[in-house]
Amino acid sequence: MFFQESGKFYIRIEDKFESSHYLYKYFPDGSDEPIHGHSFKIEVYLSGNKNIGEDGISFDFLTSKKRLKELVHELDHILINEHPDFKTINPTSENMARWFYHGLKHSVHSADGRVDRIVIYEGPENLAYYEPSEG
């Protein structure tokens, strides 16, 4: 029967935000990149530590989705460089992915899950993703 097939399940949640940023010391002469904006999308891939329960649910993502919305709200419609966590760290997609991981990991772990991957889309064509070593 199909429900007896073995394997691992992953859950994906996503959200979007509009923000601007610039990269510090981006050019060879040490000057900053000009301020510019993006339509960002974040995808978070989650898995449950128990893989799947008798109810057919591998990971209940509702608490994690709520926390993701809170984090997105912090970055939505701002100059990301002015956010306290990015005043001295370049607001690259890579660093934003790690920032989201840091903000989500407690919520996910307390729900007996793990964060497997965070993908940040900088517009529709460019992306960076982060896979934490400890989930």
Side-chain angles (χ1 to χ4, degrees), residues 46-98:
L46 307 165
S47 60
N49 289 329
K50 291 183 247 172
N51 200 29
I52 192 166
E54 287 186 26
D55 58 5
I57 297 173
S58 62
F59 179 75
D60 188 347
F61 62 85
L62 293 179
T63 302
S64 301
K65 180 75 173 171
K66 180 182 176 193
R67 180 64 181 137
L68 177 61
K69 284 196 174 299
E70 292 169 357
L71 293 168
V72 162
H73 181 71
E74 283 191 45
L75 298 185
D76 194 29
H77 287 88
I78 67 165
L79 174 59
I80 296 172
N81 302 68
E82 293 179 353
H83 186 283
D85 293 336
F86 290 100
K87 286 190 180 259
T88 59
I89 297 170
N90 253 338
T92 61
S93 292
E94 294 89 340
N95 282 333
M96 282 190 267
R98 286 193 300 192

Side-chain angles (χ1 to χ4, degrees), residues 77-125:
H77 287 88
I78 67 165
L79 174 59
I80 296 172
N81 302 68
E82 293 179 353
H83 186 283
D85 293 336
F86 290 100
K87 286 190 180 259
T88 59
I89 297 170
N90 253 338
T92 61
S93 292
E94 294 89 340
N95 282 333
M96 282 190 267
R98 286 193 300 192
W99 181 84
F100 275 105
Y101 169 72
H102 180 77
L104 285 166
K105 69 181 178 179
H106 177 72
S107 168
V108 173
H109 290 172
S110 65
D112 202 25
R114 61 178 283 119
V115 178
D116 295 296
R117 177 182 286 180
I118 303 223
V119 183
I120 301 286
Y121 290 85
E122 213 175 80
E125 298 165 344

